[in-house]
Amino acid sequence: MTSNVPWLTTTVLFPIFASLLLPILPRDGNRIIRWYTPGICILEFLMITYIFYCHFQFDSQSMQLVEMFSWINSINFHWIVGLDGLSMSLILLTGFVTTSATLAAWPITRNTRLFHFLMLVTYGGQIGLFVSRDILLFFFMWELELIPVYLLLCLRGGKRRPYSATKFVLYTAGGSIFLLVAALITSFYGNEVPSFAIQALMDKPYPISSEIALYLGFLIAYAVKLPIFPLHSWLPDTHGEAHYSTCMLPAGVLLKMGGYGLIRINLEILIHAHLPLRSWLLLLGAIQIVYASPASMSQRNLKRRIAYSSISHMGFVVIGIGSLTDAGINGAMLQMISHGLIGAALFFLAGTCYDRTRTPFLDELGGIATRLPKLFTMFSTFSLASLALPGMSGFVSELLVFLGVVVTKQYSFFFKAVITVLGATGTVLASIYLLSMVRRMFYGYRLANESNPYLIDFGPREIFTSTRFFPPILGIGPYPNLILPLRNSEVLSILLPHPATK
């Protein structure tokens, strides 16, 4: 579908250009800035919602609202953006989570201009990545969020935030090198003049050995973001030290960039390499689940425990993509949305809990439910959603992933049983580490920091920011067709041209 208005380009550039106005806003304390940034995010989200309701076609398997502008003609580099069901759902998630993150950043009073400037630039870069239809533009947007997130980590957080920020940038920049090299080889292969358009790369044949090498190069970059074991260790350190408004961005959006790239590049361009390697993806996903679940149980730091649970839950995304079945890929895509919502909500609640108790350690908490009943209600509900309680979004996404593994005919019964048992073990362990986290925080007779003057319950801002996550999480659970119609056309476009995947 086309439109006379360049809607997608506008959604990418609007928050970036809006961030440039922050330095010239009146210096009236932080009040104007704290209203300006959420206002821009809300306008951007309304624009995305308008595109969804008025211009997006659910039954189309082709790219919609495609916009192409010449950029660097000497290397055939164009600004090409487009939209399909996978992109649409992820930019909706990005708008929702980033708006919540700006509301969570309300208490920040130091370096507010720079902090909000970086959040808006990150917002534009994330939208740009999900709509990119040029592989060099994809890399450019992949890198655009790197320095802003690094600076966000440095500005606010714990005492070890410079270490965690440096670790984040080293891991992600290292992965980006593989992404750039693989993208350039893919674009130059067989051509004297490079072709960076993703559609053109989909139609280009590659020798299977070269395709596997390119696939692995891309996979290393995505493995850092997903994050796949053993390239995961930056995530607990980042979440453990960052301010909770910053934590909401990696948990809600940045981790999904890896899953999106694995589907958009590896499955669409390098599908013949995916076929012999997908069993290894299933094993990597299963290892990721069973490793991160016990690691989460051993964490004293509240945010590090939630971070390891994120690693475990993203393992289901890897398994779903590796299964290469209708149910599995739909489950992986739905898991990205579900975890983005639940993970962002849990980090917001963990941060507000720290603001009130002044401690991040579980063994220093206890009995705070009597003083903070609203926080207790919110935290308990989202913890239940995270452990895949039936009726919530996490349950249906993990169920589809399991079904995707079971129904595939490409593996032996023993292999499918091993993957299913390992995944189910992670689900059981999730109940243990999440419920024990809630018990140690809120139950018991010892009231942590009883004389603490900050130990007051949620106000209107916190209630609004946390409760706005309820409708999508509780809506997708009993009725996953709120999201699945967006994904079905994308899944069909991947599976139908390749009968061997069925």
Short mmCIF file of all heavy atoms in Angstrom, two decimals, residues 26 33 42 46 58 100 137 144 178 203 208 235 244 262 266 275 319 342 360 363 379 393 410 474 480 492 495:
data_model
loop_
_atom_site.label_atom_id
_atom_site.label_comp_id
_atom_site.label_asym_id
_atom_site.label_seq_id
_atom_site.Cartn_x
_atom_site.Cartn_y
_atom_site.Cartn_z
N PRO A 26 13.27 26.98 27.18
CA PRO A 26 13.54 27.88 28.32
C PRO A 26 14.11 27.13 29.51
O PRO A 26 13.71 25.99 29.80
CB PRO A 26 12.16 28.45 28.64
CG PRO A 26 11.40 28.32 27.37
CD PRO A 26 11.89 27.07 26.71
N ILE A 33 11.02 20.51 30.30
CA ILE A 33 11.64 19.36 29.66
C ILE A 33 10.89 18.09 30.02
O ILE A 33 10.67 17.21 29.16
CB ILE A 33 13.12 19.25 30.06
CG1 ILE A 33 13.89 20.48 29.56
CG2 ILE A 33 13.75 17.97 29.53
CD1 ILE A 33 15.31 20.56 30.04
N ILE A 42 4.25 10.82 22.96
CA ILE A 42 2.82 10.56 22.76
C ILE A 42 2.39 10.92 21.34
O ILE A 42 1.65 10.17 20.69
CB ILE A 42 2.00 11.33 23.81
CG1 ILE A 42 2.23 10.74 25.20
CG2 ILE A 42 0.51 11.29 23.46
CD1 ILE A 42 1.63 11.56 26.33
N LEU A 46 0.86 8.36 18.67
CA LEU A 46 -0.40 8.61 17.98
C LEU A 46 -0.22 8.52 16.47
O LEU A 46 -1.12 8.02 15.76
CB LEU A 46 -0.94 9.99 18.38
CG LEU A 46 -1.45 10.13 19.82
CD1 LEU A 46 -1.84 11.59 20.11
CD2 LEU A 46 -2.64 9.22 20.07
N PHE A 58 -4.06 -5.86 6.82
CA PHE A 58 -3.71 -7.09 7.53
C PHE A 58 -3.45 -8.26 6.58
O PHE A 58 -2.63 -9.13 6.86
CB PHE A 58 -4.83 -7.48 8.50
CG PHE A 58 -4.86 -6.65 9.75
CD1 PHE A 58 -5.51 -5.43 9.78
CD2 PHE A 58 -4.24 -7.09 10.89
CE1 PHE A 58 -5.53 -4.66 10.92
CE2 PHE A 58 -4.26 -6.33 12.05
CZ PHE A 58 -4.91 -5.11 12.06
N SER A 100 6.38 5.07 28.06
CA SER A 100 6.40 4.70 29.47
C SER A 100 7.75 5.02 30.10
O SER A 100 7.82 5.46 31.26
CB SER A 100 6.08 3.21 29.63
OG SER A 100 4.83 2.89 29.08
N LEU A 137 21.15 0.77 5.57
CA LEU A 137 20.33 1.60 6.45
C LEU A 137 20.01 0.83 7.73
O LEU A 137 19.99 1.40 8.83
CB LEU A 137 19.05 2.01 5.74
CG LEU A 137 18.06 2.86 6.53
CD1 LEU A 137 18.68 4.20 6.93
CD2 LEU A 137 16.77 3.08 5.73
N LEU A 144 22.84 3.50 15.47
CA LEU A 144 22.38 4.80 15.95
C LEU A 144 22.00 4.76 17.43
O LEU A 144 22.16 5.75 18.14
CB LEU A 144 21.18 5.28 15.11
CG LEU A 144 20.62 6.66 15.45
CD1 LEU A 144 21.68 7.75 15.29
CD2 LEU A 144 19.40 6.97 14.59
N PHE A 178 30.67 -7.76 12.94
CA PHE A 178 30.23 -8.92 12.16
C PHE A 178 29.03 -8.57 11.30
O PHE A 178 28.92 -9.04 10.16
CB PHE A 178 29.89 -10.08 13.11
CG PHE A 178 31.08 -10.69 13.78
CD1 PHE A 178 31.51 -10.22 15.02
CD2 PHE A 178 31.77 -11.73 13.19
CE1 PHE A 178 32.60 -10.78 15.65
CE2 PHE A 178 32.87 -12.30 13.81
CZ PHE A 178 33.30 -11.82 15.04
N ASP A 203 16.46 -11.95 -3.73
CA ASP A 203 16.39 -12.62 -5.04
C ASP A 203 17.77 -13.08 -5.52
O ASP A 203 17.88 -13.63 -6.62
CB ASP A 203 15.79 -11.65 -6.07
CG ASP A 203 14.39 -11.21 -5.68
OD1 ASP A 203 13.69 -12.00 -5.03
OD2 ASP A 203 14.01 -10.07 -6.02
N ILE A 208 25.98 -22.42 -1.02
CA ILE A 208 25.55 -22.78 0.32
C ILE A 208 26.64 -22.55 1.36
O ILE A 208 26.36 -22.11 2.49
CB ILE A 208 25.06 -24.25 0.37
CG1 ILE A 208 24.45 -24.57 1.74
CG2 ILE A 208 26.19 -25.19 0.00
CD1 ILE A 208 23.24 -23.75 2.08
N LEU A 235 24.22 -8.04 29.75
CA LEU A 235 22.85 -7.66 30.12
C LEU A 235 22.64 -7.56 31.63
O LEU A 235 22.09 -6.55 32.11
CB LEU A 235 21.86 -8.63 29.49
CG LEU A 235 20.39 -8.27 29.68
CD1 LEU A 235 20.04 -7.00 28.92
CD2 LEU A 235 19.48 -9.41 29.22
N TYR A 244 16.23 2.80 36.18
CA TYR A 244 15.17 1.92 35.69
C TYR A 244 14.49 2.44 34.44
O TYR A 244 13.97 1.65 33.64
CB TYR A 244 14.15 1.63 36.79
CG TYR A 244 13.49 2.83 37.43
CD1 TYR A 244 12.31 3.34 36.93
CD2 TYR A 244 14.02 3.42 38.57
CE1 TYR A 244 11.68 4.42 37.52
CE2 TYR A 244 13.41 4.50 39.18
CZ TYR A 244 12.24 4.99 38.65
OH TYR A 244 11.62 6.07 39.25
N LEU A 262 17.13 -11.57 13.05
CA LEU A 262 17.22 -12.99 12.71
C LEU A 262 16.11 -13.39 11.75
O LEU A 262 16.33 -14.20 10.84
CB LEU A 262 17.14 -13.82 14.00
CG LEU A 262 17.50 -15.30 13.94
CD1 LEU A 262 18.88 -15.51 13.35
CD2 LEU A 262 17.41 -15.93 15.31
N ASN A 266 18.16 -13.20 8.23
CA ASN A 266 18.57 -14.59 8.08
C ASN A 266 17.49 -15.48 7.47
O ASN A 266 17.78 -16.34 6.65
CB ASN A 266 19.01 -15.15 9.44
CG ASN A 266 20.34 -14.58 9.89
OD1 ASN A 266 20.67 -13.43 9.57
ND2 ASN A 266 21.12 -15.36 10.61
N LEU A 275 18.23 -23.72 7.13
CA LEU A 275 17.73 -25.10 7.18
C LEU A 275 18.72 -26.06 7.85
O LEU A 275 18.32 -26.81 8.75
CB LEU A 275 17.37 -25.58 5.77
CG LEU A 275 16.21 -24.81 5.10
CD1 LEU A 275 16.01 -25.31 3.68
CD2 LEU A 275 14.95 -24.94 5.92
N ILE A 319 14.20 -20.52 20.11
CA ILE A 319 13.63 -21.84 19.80
C ILE A 319 12.53 -21.72 18.75
O ILE A 319 12.46 -22.51 17.80
CB ILE A 319 13.10 -22.51 21.08
CG1 ILE A 319 14.26 -22.90 22.00
CG2 ILE A 319 12.26 -23.74 20.74
CD1 ILE A 319 13.82 -23.49 23.32
N ILE A 342 6.10 -7.08 29.52
CA ILE A 342 6.27 -7.55 30.89
C ILE A 342 7.63 -7.12 31.45
O ILE A 342 7.74 -6.67 32.60
CB ILE A 342 6.12 -9.08 30.96
CG1 ILE A 342 4.70 -9.48 30.53
CG2 ILE A 342 6.41 -9.60 32.35
CD1 ILE A 342 4.53 -10.98 30.35
N PRO A 360 18.75 -2.44 46.69
CA PRO A 360 18.40 -3.33 45.58
C PRO A 360 18.45 -4.81 45.95
O PRO A 360 18.20 -5.67 45.10
CB PRO A 360 19.48 -3.01 44.54
CG PRO A 360 20.69 -2.72 45.38
CD PRO A 360 20.18 -2.08 46.66
N ASP A 363 17.67 -9.78 50.13
CA ASP A 363 17.78 -10.22 51.52
C ASP A 363 17.69 -9.04 52.50
O ASP A 363 17.70 -9.26 53.71
CB ASP A 363 19.08 -11.01 51.75
CG ASP A 363 20.31 -10.28 51.22
OD1 ASP A 363 20.18 -9.09 50.86
OD2 ASP A 363 21.38 -10.90 51.16
N PHE A 379 3.42 -5.56 41.30
CA PHE A 379 4.58 -6.44 41.16
C PHE A 379 4.15 -7.90 41.10
O PHE A 379 4.66 -8.68 40.29
CB PHE A 379 5.55 -6.21 42.32
CG PHE A 379 6.98 -6.44 41.95
CD1 PHE A 379 7.87 -5.38 41.89
CD2 PHE A 379 7.47 -7.70 41.66
CE1 PHE A 379 9.20 -5.57 41.54
CE2 PHE A 379 8.78 -7.91 41.32
CZ PHE A 379 9.66 -6.84 41.26
N SER A 393 -0.31 -12.94 28.47
CA SER A 393 0.35 -13.03 27.17
C SER A 393 1.52 -13.99 27.16
O SER A 393 1.80 -14.62 26.12
CB SER A 393 0.82 -11.63 26.74
OG SER A 393 1.73 -11.09 27.70
N GLN A 410 10.82 -32.37 10.95
CA GLN A 410 12.22 -32.37 10.52
C GLN A 410 13.16 -32.98 11.56
O GLN A 410 14.35 -33.15 11.27
CB GLN A 410 12.66 -30.93 10.21
CG GLN A 410 11.81 -30.24 9.16
CD GLN A 410 11.83 -30.97 7.84
OE1 GLN A 410 12.89 -31.39 7.39
NE2 GLN A 410 10.68 -31.12 7.21
N LEU A 474 -3.11 -8.47 29.45
CA LEU A 474 -4.32 -9.24 29.76
C LEU A 474 -5.18 -9.45 28.53
O LEU A 474 -6.01 -10.36 28.50
CB LEU A 474 -5.13 -8.52 30.85
CG LEU A 474 -4.42 -8.36 32.20
CD1 LEU A 474 -5.31 -7.60 33.18
CD2 LEU A 474 -4.07 -9.73 32.78
N PRO A 480 -5.18 -14.00 21.64
CA PRO A 480 -3.93 -13.68 20.93
C PRO A 480 -4.12 -13.15 19.52
O PRO A 480 -3.19 -12.61 18.93
CB PRO A 480 -3.18 -15.02 20.92
CG PRO A 480 -4.23 -16.05 21.11
CD PRO A 480 -5.26 -15.43 21.98
N LEU A 492 3.76 -16.52 6.54
CA LEU A 492 3.46 -17.15 5.26
C LEU A 492 4.47 -16.75 4.19
O LEU A 492 4.88 -17.56 3.36
CB LEU A 492 2.04 -16.79 4.81
CG LEU A 492 0.91 -17.43 5.62
CD1 LEU A 492 -0.43 -16.88 5.16
CD2 LEU A 492 0.93 -18.95 5.47
N LEU A 495 7.49 -19.01 4.86
CA LEU A 495 7.35 -20.45 4.74
C LEU A 495 6.91 -20.90 3.34
O LEU A 495 7.39 -21.92 2.85
CB LEU A 495 6.35 -20.96 5.77
CG LEU A 495 6.73 -20.78 7.24
CD1 LEU A 495 5.66 -21.36 8.14
CD2 LEU A 495 8.06 -21.42 7.55
#
